């Protein structure tokens, strides 16, 4: 299980990386942390002609707080998200999610940009970005563009990135004060990919939900933002409301049936996560109770 | 007969400074802790080349053409060899043994010649200067296949419409065994209740962390093949390599240093390993084969994969009247060499109901061929199946008659005073301790308190379960396992002990070490038997050029058999030394002993002469010894139990867990084991064997599953998708002992390697069913995944 | 596809080597430097046997290319042992028999030490969680958790 032969260039600057991307196109692969790419290489599932190592580009690293935006450099590692006080204070959802990504040694090298560009539908961060309405900052030799998370993830391992483009940063709007987050995933073993998971952002308005974004992962070919929240926002939440939302959620999902979980299990987990999330953010544990038949 | 708790020592070994019964740290640990072990995968030899195999992508196909030209032209390539070319060097084999009557299999070659029979079978070998270059060239080998229908479902393998994998054999039935004891029909007809279930056991595999690894070095100048291999049985490998490479046994040396896990995975003869030996001979240079993880999943032996229907007859007073089973297992396309793939089913027949008093037992086992990887003996061969079926049925019976699982066991387990006795299949039990073990388990777990807690929590919608599983365990096998069937697999072991010139001791044993602590217990026993401190004892193992001939380490035999040989050789050397000491001291040998590295007066403890001084005289000043006295500072003894075919041990496990009936997830809370392996040589090593074995059993119970599709493709051959138990999901495991030494040896030790794995899955399954009892469902399938739980609850 | 020259510190020793781009760090230290204490168990980042430290942080060396370690300080189990940094942890593993075949042990030690450096007094569940990416087939983990817990407690008692 040895990687196939490939060429390797260490990018000296973003411009250098973009020039290399432009030259090599889809024959090239960007190497950032390598925690998804290296397994694929070792298993010979990926056979790039050249790796462009962006790992030394310090300008892609770090978390910057602006007025209403948190800008996260693409090379920011999962471990950084887990320990950054700025992230804990501004985007606790990312901190919660990071704790579930693989294991410490992986989190020390895996990067947020690499994770998002890889677009594994069972991965935690894409769903978080969808919940947080993040924008992907994408550069190419032609310039810079921003793509909303909902347009970025296009399918299994598919994104809006063109072969000559580089994801350089993620801009995350700072949730309004008083926002609540919820993160949970069903995994067989700690650190495994989820059978189904939910990253959620809610704004609680008295006893009601002013806003609710339920972003599911491992439920389809990309993270899924539930439309069923329409049943829950701006109304008094009751068990009936939750049941309506769950039924609506069920109708909008088309989950896969695989070794990890059947489609029916994923639907079941998705419904459970909905009620548990609402109960959690409203601090009404009775809403999560499900009568066991 | 039984003594509870930790043994203080041994009657025969109740010597001053005895190490028996002490948790002495293993002498080889520092090396391993510092990364200074020597595993075969670490080995580099001059002129060594690496082999990568091109393996079949199909479960069953005819090979229509092989083109190796492009591969041969690739950088670093030394040779590209087909199965037909290799067949000139390595002769084929058939994995049958004569005592498994009717067992049949087809000739198997080191690499496929004109047909592949499972996905992963080696077809072409590429030798190159590095593994990476060999893999590059392997991709350039062109093989044309003509796909054949694959037999994958064991349930239909015997149907007339199913193709026969080996037409010469007539059908896909490799082996069938029927057993009928007592009056089974009458017992079922007369019993108050009959309960039945179909138990399904997923295929799983060993996943040793170091994959199988071989460096084979044919030195044509010496006419010798040296095989460095992580194996449990060096002499078996020596014999078989010689036989199929046309060499005399003395032309083959097998060296086995550190081994990164075995568990039965590394006790077989694998076709690709035979290919590596043959390639070394063909190209006259060292050849290294280290399976990568994908190869491991596709070619390391798999195990279990049984569907076992079971019935139990029980009266309302709790007395079990009969067991009946019908077991079916799929073993892949060949019976594995040389131990065969019929042993697990045979063990299931042997073991079901073996802990209970009923004499009425009927069993059928059928072993069928399929186009999947081969199955064979993996840790606790057959035990988890027999235990899960037996203990699952006993719990079902208890539930049917409304009796506590403890009570039905109390009523039916063979009495501790009933020995010696025999099982309905004729297994002879020397002395077991089911009731003492049960009693100790209940104390350890505080059973009544837990039942009360369970009832309280159930009212709150929290579903906890408690499951028990008593078991019997085959250890210390004599010739009955393999030798009587014609296999040249030694059932005896030998130990040589030598006093060296500085008064230290070197000891050579034919048992092997893969982490169990063979080296430690050998040193403990020799130090105790001889009367020296353990730091003076150095143990050498794993080299057919150096150690006495023996079986190695498998089937929980090393401590009981190799340990006794160590004791007897140490005692023999002590006798030799005392003879010399008596001459020097002008005393009688009977009035002397050895203690703490000196010859002493046993009554006063007075040190008469240091062993180092005695050795100095023996080796450097023999001229000062009396005429006619020739000191023999070496002694060798061998041992094999002769009275009993196996030393049965027993034990009982309990699992406490919580089932989330909403999600189907199981959380393990506690696990307890009480086992009786006779004399405990090193309590810590026994406890850790048990714990490790339990977690392997828990893996099977909850996670591990080789998932094949209907075309015979293994769909989860990687560590992300094949789930092994990891630290976060496991619980602590409490271990207790009851000690019933075997009288077959002075040491009194039986084996302990299978016990944990034997009962863990049964305890968990019973606990899950206990937790789910309010829902009126019974699950008889492992692994118990959330999908299985949810679907039983009608939720997915 | 030519080799790349890298210069790095390995266990405090300065090393320069020509490596093919595809060579991962585990194979580099094993095959080119003879540091075979780093074990390879799965080569796809799941088993944790190849865990070592790069610039003071634990990584999966099978998921790190040697070229990525250019300019870095790499520590393998050999160096970690010689430095004496984990002598107490190793002693606790020995006393508790927290290893059997020893193949997972170097990676396990790195991961355990990583936890102990971050968390002085971890609960057993935290130890299990931190070690959850390191596979051990032999021990069933209980003894390893004990050894890590004992080391943590002993270090806390140190003045």
């Amino acid at each position: 299980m040895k990687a196939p032969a490939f060429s390797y260039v260490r990018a000296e600057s973003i411009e250098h990386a973009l020039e290399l991307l432009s030259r090599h196109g889809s024959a090239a692969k960007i190497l950032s942390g390598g925690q998804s790419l290296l397994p694929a290489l070792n298993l010979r599932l990926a056979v790039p002609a050249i790796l462009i190592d962006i790992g030394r580009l310090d300008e892609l690293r770090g978390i910057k707080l602006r007025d209403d935006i948190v800008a996260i450099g693409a090379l920011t590692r999962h471990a950084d998200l887990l320990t950054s006080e700025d992230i804990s204070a501004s985007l606790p959802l990312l901190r919660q999610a990071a704790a579930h990504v693989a294991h410490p040694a992986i989190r020390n090298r895996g990067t947020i940009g690499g994770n998002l560009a890889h677009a594994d539908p069972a991965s935690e961060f894409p769903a978080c970005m969808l919940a947080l309405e993040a924008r992907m900052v994408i550069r190419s030799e032609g310039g810079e563009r921003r793509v909303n998370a909902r347009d970025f993830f296009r399918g299994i391992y598919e994104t809006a990135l063109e072969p000559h483009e580089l994801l350089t940063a993620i801009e995350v709007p700072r949730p309004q004060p008083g926002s609540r987050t919820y993160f949970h995933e069903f995994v067989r073993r700690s650190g495994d990919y989820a059978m189904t998971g939910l990253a959620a952002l809610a704004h609680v308005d008295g006893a009601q939900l002013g806003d609710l974004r339920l972003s599911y992962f491992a439920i389809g070919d990309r993270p899924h933002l539930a439309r069923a929240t329409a049943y829950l926002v701006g109304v008094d939440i009751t068990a009936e409301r939750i049941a309506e939302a769950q039924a609506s959620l069920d109708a909008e999902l088309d989950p896969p049936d695989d070794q990890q979980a059947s489609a029916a299990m994923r639907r079941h987990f998705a419904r459970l996560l909905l009620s548990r999330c609402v109960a959690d953010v409203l601090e009404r544990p009775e809403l999560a109770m499900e009568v066991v038949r | 007969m039984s003594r509870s708790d930790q043994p203080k020592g041994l009657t025969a070994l109740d010597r001053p400074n005895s190490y028996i019964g002490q948790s002495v740290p293993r002498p080889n640990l520092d090396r391993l802790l510092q990364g200074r072990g020597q595993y075969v995968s670490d080995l580099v030899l001059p002129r060594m080349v690496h082999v990568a195999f091109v393996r079949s992508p199909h479960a069953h196909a005819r090979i229509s053409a092989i083109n190796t030209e492009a591969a041969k032209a690739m950088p670093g390539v030394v040779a590209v060899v087909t199965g037909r070319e290799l067949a000139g060097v390595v002769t084929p084999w058939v994995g049958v043994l004569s005592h498994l009557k009717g067992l049949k299999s087809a000739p198997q070659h080191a690499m496929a010649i004109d047909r592949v029979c499972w996905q992963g079978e080696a077809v072409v070998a590429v030798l190159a200067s590095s593994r990476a270059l060999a893999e590059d060239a392997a991709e350039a080998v062109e093989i044309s296949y003509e796909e054949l229908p694959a037999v994958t479902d064991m349930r239909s393998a015997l149907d007339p419409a199913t193709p026969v994998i080996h037409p010469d054999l007539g059908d896909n039935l490799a082996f069938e065994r029927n057993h009928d004891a007592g009056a089974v029909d009458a017992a079922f007809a007369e019993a108050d209740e009959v309960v039945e279930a179909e138990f399904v056991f997923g295929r799983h595999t060993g996943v040793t962390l170091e994959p199988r690894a071989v460096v084979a070095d044919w030195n044509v100048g010496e006419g010798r093949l040296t095989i460095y291999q992580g194996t449990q049985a060096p002499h078996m490998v020596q014999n078989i390599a010689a036989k199929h490479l046309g060499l005399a046994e003395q032309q083959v040396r097998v060296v086995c240093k550190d081994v990164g896990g075995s568990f039965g995975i590394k006790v077989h003869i694998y076709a690709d390993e035979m290919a590596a030996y043959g390639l070394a001979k063909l190209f006259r240079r060292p050849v290294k084969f280290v399976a990568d993880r994908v190869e491991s999943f596709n070619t390391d032996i798999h195990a279990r994969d049984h569907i076992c229907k079971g019935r139990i007859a029980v009266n309302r007073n709790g007395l079990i009247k009969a067991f009946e089973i019908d077991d079916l297992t799929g073993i892949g396309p060949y019976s594995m060499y040389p131990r065969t793939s019929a042993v697990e089913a045979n063990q299931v027949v042997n073991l079901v109901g073996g802990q209970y008093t009923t004499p009425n037992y009927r069993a059928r086992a059928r072993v069928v061929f399929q186009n999947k990887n081969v199955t064979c003996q993996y840790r606790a061969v057959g035990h988890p199946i027999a235990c899960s079926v037996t203990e699952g049925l006993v719990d079902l019976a208890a539930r049917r008659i409304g009796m506590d699982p403890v009570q039905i066991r109390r009523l039916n387990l063979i009495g501790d005073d009933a020995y010696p006795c025999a099982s309905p299949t004729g297994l002879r039990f020397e002395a077991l301790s089911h009731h003492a073990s049960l009693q100790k388990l209940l104390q350890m777990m505080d059973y009544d308190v837990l039942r009360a807690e369970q009832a309280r929590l159930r009212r709150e919608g929290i579903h906890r379960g408690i499951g028990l599983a008593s078991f019997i365990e085959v250890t210390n096998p004599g010739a009955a396992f393999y030798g009587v069937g014609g296999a040249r697999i030694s059932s005896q072991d030998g130990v040589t002990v030598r006093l060296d010139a500085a008064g230290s001791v070197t000891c050579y044993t034919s048992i092997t070490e893969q982490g169990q602590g063979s080296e430690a217990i050998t040193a403990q026993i020799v130090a105790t038997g001889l009367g020296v401190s353990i730091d003076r004892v150095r143990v050498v193992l794993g080299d057919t050029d150096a150690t006495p001939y023996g079986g190695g380490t498998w089937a929980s035999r090393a401590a009981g058999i190799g340990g006794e040989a160590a004791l007897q050789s140490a005692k023999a050397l002590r006798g030799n030394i005392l003879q010399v000491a008596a001459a020097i001291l002008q005393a009688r040998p009977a009035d002397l002993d050895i203690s703490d590295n000196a010859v002493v007066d046993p009554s006063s403890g007075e040190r008469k002469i240091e062993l180092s001084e005695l050795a100095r005289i023996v080796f450097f000043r023999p001229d000062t010894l009396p005429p006619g006295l020739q000191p023999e500072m070496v002694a060798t003894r061998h041992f094999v139990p002769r009275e009993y075919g196996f030393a049965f041990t027993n034990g009982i496990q309990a699992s406490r867990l919580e089932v989330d009936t909403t999600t189907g997830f199981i959380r393990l809370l506690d696990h307890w084991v009480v086992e009786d392996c006779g004399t405990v040589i090193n309590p810590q090593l026994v406890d850790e064997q048990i714990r490790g074995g339990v977690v392997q059993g828990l893996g099977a119970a909850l996670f591990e599953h080789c998932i094949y599709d209907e075309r015979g493709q293994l769909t989860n051959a990687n560590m992300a998708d094949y789930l092994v138990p990891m630290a976060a999901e496991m619980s602590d495991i409490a271990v207790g002992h009851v000690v019933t030494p075997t009288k077959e040896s002075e040491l009194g030790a039986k084996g302990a390697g299978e016990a944990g794995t034997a009962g863990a899955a049964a305890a968990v399954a019973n606990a899950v069913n206990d937790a789910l009892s309010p829902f009126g469902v019974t699950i008889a399938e492992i692994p118990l995944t959330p999908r299985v739980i949810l679907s039983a609850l009608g939720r997915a | 596809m030519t080799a790349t020259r890298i210069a790095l510190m390995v266990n405090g020793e300065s090393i320069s080597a020509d490596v093919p781009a595809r060579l991962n760090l585990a194979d580099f230290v094993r095959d080119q430097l003879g540091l075979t204490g780093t074990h390879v168990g799965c080569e796809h980042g799941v088993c944790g046997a190849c865990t070592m430290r790069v610039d003071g942080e634990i990584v999966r060396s099978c998921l790190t290319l040697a070229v990525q370690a250019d300019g870095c300080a790499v520590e393998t189990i050999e160096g970690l042992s010689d430095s004496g940094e984990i002598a107490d942890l190793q002693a606790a593993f020995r006393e508790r028999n927290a290893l059997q075949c020893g193949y997972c042990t170097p990676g396990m030690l790195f991961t355990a030490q990583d936890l102990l450096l971050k968390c002085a007094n971890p609960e057993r569940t935290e130890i299990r969680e931190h070690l959850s990416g390191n596979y051990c087939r032999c021990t069933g983990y209980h003894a390893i958790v004990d050894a890590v817990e004992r080391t943590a407690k002993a270090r806390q008692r140190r003045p």
Side-chain angles (χ1 to χ4, degrees), chain A residues 1-2 43-44 186-190 195 257-262 265 268-269 272 276 290 292-293, chain B residues 132 135-136 139 292 294 662-663 665 702-703 707 715-716 721 723-724 729 775 785-787 795-796:
Chain A
M1 199 193 290
K2 304 297 177 192
L43 289 159
R44 298 198 178 206
F186 290 104
V187 285
R188 298 298 312 281
R189 304 176 306 174
S190 177
M195 300 156 87
D257 200 326
D258 59 28
Q259 263 170 28
Q260 277 68 41
S262 66
M265 281 171 78
H268 172 65
F269 287 153
L272 274 181
R276 289 179 179 188
E290 200 213 9
V292 174
R293 288 170 294 232
Chain B
E135 288 185 23
D136 292 348
E139 289 190 334
D292 67 28
V294 172
T662 310
T663 63
F665 276 66
L702 300 174
F703 294 112
I707 302 171
T715 58
N716 61 338
D721 294 323
L723 307 183
V724 289
E729 289 72 36
F775 300 87
T785 63
R787 186 194 301 232
R795 316 186 126 227

Side-chain angles (χ1 to χ4, degrees), chain B residues 313-396:
Chain B
V314 67
N315 282 348
R316 276 181 213 106
N317 64 5
L319 284 181
I320 296 169
K321 304 307 291 181
F323 287 99
E324 181 173 9
I325 63 156
D326 186 2
D327 185 41
L328 177 67
T329 182
I331 58 163
Y334 298 102
S335 172
M336 194 72 181
Y337 191 57
R339 291 164 192 252
T340 86
S341 303
V343 171
E344 179 148 278
N346 199 52
Q347 286 280 60
V348 173
V349 172
N350 282 340
L351 296 173
V352 164
Q355 56 271 59
Y356 293 106
T357 52
T358 179
N360 305 316
Y361 175 49
R362 183 185 292 141
R364 175 171 76 153
R366 287 172 301 159
V367 175
V368 301
F369 293 117
Q370 359 153 248
N371 294 111
K372 296 180 182 177
N373 184 23
V374 291
T375 70
C376 198
Q377 282 80 287
Y378 164 58
R379 192 174 201 169
V381 187
H383 292 66
I385 293 153
C387 183
S388 293
V389 170
T390 305
E391 292 298 87
L393 288 171
V394 168
D395 266 24
L396 286 174

Side-chain angles (χ1 to χ4, degrees), chain A residues 176-234:
Chain A
Q176 45 184 305
S179 290
R180 303 257 173 92
T181 60
Y182 178 86
F183 186 93
H184 189 80
E185 61 181 31
F186 290 104
V187 285
R188 298 298 312 281
R189 304 176 306 174
S190 177
D192 280 358
Y193 278 111
M195 300 156 87
T196 292
L198 172 65
L201 182 68
H203 187 67
V204 179
D205 193 359
Q208 296 187 348
L209 291 164
D211 190 16
L212 179 64
R213 295 176 65 83
L214 300 180
S215 181
Y216 286 93
F217 53 100
I219 199 81
D221 68 350
R222 67 194 87 176
H224 177 83
L225 196 64
R227 299 184 290 273
T229 50
Y231 288 88
L232 300 168
V233 172

